Amino acid sequence: MAGSGLKKQASRLRSHFQRHSGATQEVAETPGTVDRMWWMDLLLRTIRLVLEGASRLIFGIMYYGSTHTPLPPITNLVLLESATALATKIRTKKLTSEEVVKSFIARIKEINPILNCVVDDRFEDALQEAREADELIRFGTMDEATLAKTKPFLGVPFTTKDCFAVKGLKQTAGLWIRKDMVAEEDADAVRVMREAGAIPLCVTNVSELCMWWESCNTIYGRTNNPYVNCRIVGGSSGGEGCLQSACGAPFGIGSDIGGSIRMPSFFNGIFGHKPTYGIVSNLGQEPVASGEAKEFLVTGPMCKYAQDLGPMLKVLGAGNSHMLKLDQKVDIRNLRYFYIEDDGGSPMVTPIQTELREAQRKIVQHLEKAYGIKAKKITLKKLKASVLIYFAKLGSVEEAHTFCEELALKKGSINVWMELVKWCVKCSRHTFAALLLGVLEKLNNHNKHTENFTKLLAMCADLKQEMKELLGDDGVLLFPSHPTVAPYHGQPLFRPFNFAYTAIINVMLLPSTQCPLGLGSEGLPLGIQVVANHYQDHLSLAVATELEKAFGGWVCPSEVK
């Protein structure tokens, strides 16, 4: 009887997986293949459950009773201003650039010992450039209207992650072998911000070679979450997201190849926008993307207030920004809204946390109550294979150097197995996360010659077409930014594939805005992605502004006095 019951239960489970797995539907062609895919699904799910249980136990014990060091209170209200507001006040002489820059320098000096988010700075040079901006305004060489048009961020400080070149500052990308490298010229994104009058202050911490979703490396260590210190800030733009949230800068630049803008923005409770590919130049950042990966990698804005996203994106996009129709007014009542609650149950990804599901449902309810808009719940079965699709797309880029070659500065390749042995005896200059990625890359390269690899590429193309047809010119998709709130330091190693919710958007080449939705029960930020169609960035930015009004947006992690 027991055996018969288990057999029936297994049969029901198999039919369930076959109904809900896009990967199974695409790959399965024979009864034998169906059985293998089902058992693989079950095996992966079991491994994930074991790792999840182990991580909750281990990190629950490790951080039980851990104390949070609160950030110093904010007594200078300049720190709470948006970048656009600061620019206006500087142009109209209500504030000087010098006092603004001094305010943020002072804030960085008091929060960095707690957060470890800033890794190199140019404070003295920034102050001199601030004085020059004040002189330009004082002498009246250009009137306010001209300044607003030609130098919209004159005198406003900004920051960026330690993979972008900022002349005179370290550009390590978190890689030990690059620890003494100093940028000789500005990256394109930094250059156009300077041309708009903005002043670079410092560079911020990243994960090793910007390819992991916790910002930690063997040069500078790890960065702490401003809301709960024992939680991560995300990666690879984690130091940037942390600094923005903690009021260390009014806005900053991030880059994103699998969620490196959106995950840190989510974990730190700020706004972050992944633009349509090809709009913002990636030149001057490390590592350099090659081949089709150039389309997956994008550069975009990170900030506390939605109102700064559009103006900053307009500057970053330079000659391409007109393609995004950023000046076009959007009536959110005329948009079509869709929402997806989860990826359909990938065996490799943690299920969506209940509190995040509820936050998404509140958005749906708000749209209906405030505007009579009924968002449509949809299911895209292929999303269940997001992790596999993402790795297949990265693996298909033949022109790119391997990750192990990048870790060796493209001078040969590291022996990842030897480095793992060295890591065990604390002799490796690499993080365990980077070595894990090296192992996964080797496994992925092995899979490139299988039939399933080709089918995953076809699934990605089909999914892109589905999304294009679904969204059209007036549709937006509400999609989870991540399955959980910010995990503990180190916990991503037990949940390595949870980046899938952001990564799949990269390979579909769609713009996406991460929007904060206040704090949850653990005192950690909640959020949602708003995804639009190619070149329809202005739609997701408009929805971000609406969600900020409705749910409060960024919540200051410090007491305000």
Side-chain angles (χ1 to χ4, degrees):
M1 290 292 290
S4 175
L6 286 172
K7 187 174 181 179
K8 289 180 180 178
Q9 184 178 15
S11 178
R12 287 195 298 271
L13 281 171
R14 181 166 61 188
S15 65
H16 170 79
F17 290 136
Q18 291 171 6
R19 283 197 308 273
H20 295 281
S21 169
T24 301
Q25 290 177 356
E26 292 291 332
V27 175
E29 292 180 341
T30 67
T33 305
V34 172
D35 289 337
R36 286 197 299 273
M37 290 302 295
W38 174 69
W39 284 111
M40 180 60 71
D41 189 290
L42 181 60
L43 175 62
L44 291 172
R45 195 176 302 278
T46 302
I47 292 172
R48 179 183 60 76
L49 288 172
V50 171
L51 287 174
E52 188 69 38
S55 76
R56 291 183 181 183
L57 176 64
I58 292 170
F59 292 100
I61 293 173
M62 185 183 302
Y63 290 106
Y64 178 77
S66 61
T67 57
H68 168 73
T69 304
L71 299 182
I74 290 177
T75 55
N76 183 349
L77 297 184
V78 167
L79 301 174
L80 299 178
E81 297 274 7
S82 68
T84 48
L86 288 173
T88 300
K89 290 184 177 182
I90 291 171
R91 281 196 303 271
T92 57
K93 302 179 184 178
K94 294 177 181 176
L95 286 172
T96 66
S97 175
E98 184 175 7
E99 66 182 300
V100 170
V101 170
K102 281 183 176 179
S103 297
F104 284 101
I105 290 174
R107 180 63 175 173
I108 289 171
K109 287 181 177 179
E110 65 181 7
I111 63 174
N112 205 47
I114 299 171
L115 301 176
N116 189 36
C117 50
V118 171
V119 297
D120 198 11
D121 67 72
R122 56 186 304 279
F123 292 160
E124 291 304 317
D125 289 340
L127 283 170
Q128 178 57 38
E129 289 165 13
R131 296 183 192 107
E132 292 170 1
D134 289 332
E135 287 182 9
L136 178 63
I137 295 169
R138 190 180 308 117
F139 292 152
T141 307
M142 290 186 279
D143 59 31
E144 289 180 21
T146 303
L147 284 175
K149 184 176 181 179
T150 61
K151 293 186 177 296
F153 291 119
L154 180 62
V156 182
F158 76 100
T159 55
T160 189
K161 60 195 287 193
D162 175 28
C163 71
F164 284 94
V166 178
K167 186 176 180 180
L169 295 187
K170 295 285 185 68
Q171 187 188 15
T172 73
L175 184 62
W176 178 268
I177 199 171
R178 293 181 58 91
K179 63 183 176 67
D180 296 320
M181 291 191 178
V182 175
E184 297 180 355
E185 299 293 338
D186 288 332
D188 278 2
V190 175
R191 176 181 55 78
V192 295
M193 288 296 290
R194 280 187 188 264
E195 291 172 355
I199 300 171
L201 270 186
C202 60
V203 289
T204 51
N205 206 22
V206 296
S207 54
E208 187 170 3
L209 264 187
C210 300
M211 288 298 287
W212 185 244
W213 52 282
E214 175 170 12
S215 290
C216 179
N217 55 69
T218 56
I219 306 174
Y220 303 116
R222 71 186 183 192
T223 301
N224 301 316
N225 192 291
Y227 295 92
V228 181
N229 299 159
C230 62
R231 302 297 184 116
I232 74 168
V233 294
S236 61
S237 311
E240 192 60 34
C242 174
L243 184 66
Q244 299 299 325
S245 180
C247 298
F251 59 175
I253 304 171
S255 59
D256 190 317
I257 196 171
S260 289
I261 286 175
R262 289 157 293 150
M263 281 190 291
S265 295
F266 169 70
F267 293 138
N268 293 282
I270 63 169
F271 290 90
H273 182 70
K274 170 202 169 305
T276 294
Y277 72 98
I279 297 297
V280 183
S281 172
N282 292 322
L283 291 178
Q285 64 174 294
E286 289 288 340
V288 178
S290 304
E292 192 180 1
K294 290 180 180 178
E295 298 179 352
F296 308 154
L297 176 65
V298 294
T299 296
M302 301 173 69
C303 51
K304 297 188 291 295
Y305 302 105
Q307 72 183 80
D308 289 334
L309 291 171
M312 189 178 178
L313 185 55
K314 189 182 294 186
V315 169
L316 290 173
N320 297 324
S321 60
H322 68 280
M323 299 169 67
L324 301 184
K325 298 170 282 190
L326 296 173
D327 290 326
Q328 181 175 309
K329 291 186 177 181
V330 177
D331 187 340
I332 63 166
R333 293 170 294 185
N334 295 333
L335 301 182
R336 293 177 301 119
Y337 294 83
F338 305 93
Y339 67 101
I340 296 177
E341 290 190 339
D342 58 38
D343 62 3
S346 168
M348 306 168 73
V349 179
T350 303
I352 295 289
Q353 201 168 322
T354 301
E355 205 164 23
L356 293 172
R357 286 183 184 272
E358 292 175 352
Q360 186 186 56
R361 288 168 186 164
K362 287 179 181 178
I363 297 174
V364 174
Q365 292 168 1
H366 165 73
L367 291 172
E368 185 165 6
K369 289 180 179 179
Y371 301 103
I373 297 170
K374 290 191 176 181
K376 183 179 180 181
K377 181 179 178 181
I378 63 170
T379 301
L380 296 176
K381 293 182 178 180
K382 293 181 182 67
L383 287 175
K384 187 175 179 182
S386 292
V387 174
L388 299 177
I389 290 173
Y390 181 74
F391 279 119
K393 289 296 288 182
L394 284 187
S396 69
V397 182
E398 298 293 344
E399 304 92 332
H401 288 278
T402 68
F403 186 63
C404 289
E405 289 171 345
E406 292 282 2
L407 289 173
L409 274 187
K410 306 183 187 72
K411 298 174 182 177
S413 175
I414 69 163
N415 184 328
V416 68
W417 310 110
M418 181 61 69
E419 287 296 332
L420 280 169
V421 172
K422 290 168 64 176
W423 183 88
C424 290
V425 293
K426 299 183 179 181
C427 291
S428 178
R429 293 298 190 181
H430 300 288
T431 59
F432 183 76
L435 299 179
L436 174 64
L437 288 173
V439 172
L440 289 174
E441 179 182 62
K442 290 185 177 298
L443 295 175
N444 193 41
N445 288 339
H446 175 73
N447 291 331
K448 286 169 66 172
H449 306 291
T450 66
E451 183 181 2
N452 290 348
F453 189 87
T454 302
K455 292 189 175 184
L456 287 167
L457 296 180
M459 287 175 69
C460 184
D462 291 344
L463 192 56
K464 284 169 63 176
Q465 188 60 31
E466 286 182 50
M467 288 292 289
K468 182 178 180 180
E469 293 175 359
L470 174 75
L471 295 173
D473 293 334
D474 61 351
V476 292
L477 172 67
L478 304 174
F479 191 57
S481 298
H482 200 76
T484 72
V485 295
Y488 291 108
H489 288 302
Q491 201 169 18
L493 291 169
F494 290 77
R495 303 169 173 176
F497 305 115
N498 278 6
F499 68 95
Y501 282 90
T502 49
I504 193 63
I505 305 300
N506 288 78
V507 294
M508 287 194 288
L509 311 181
L510 298 171
S512 175
T513 308
Q514 141 61 30
C515 306
L517 298 172
L519 304 183
S521 59
E522 298 178 77
L524 291 164
L526 307 175
I528 193 77
Q529 285 187 86
V530 181
V531 183
N533 214 341
H534 305 117
Y535 304 108
Q536 303 300 322
D537 299 51
H538 64 302
L539 301 185
S540 67
L541 297 183
V543 175
T545 299
E546 172 61 25
L547 296 183
E548 182 180 41
K549 292 176 183 176
F551 297 96
W554 165 76
V555 177
C556 186
S558 299
E559 181 184 0
V560 178
K561 292 186 177 180

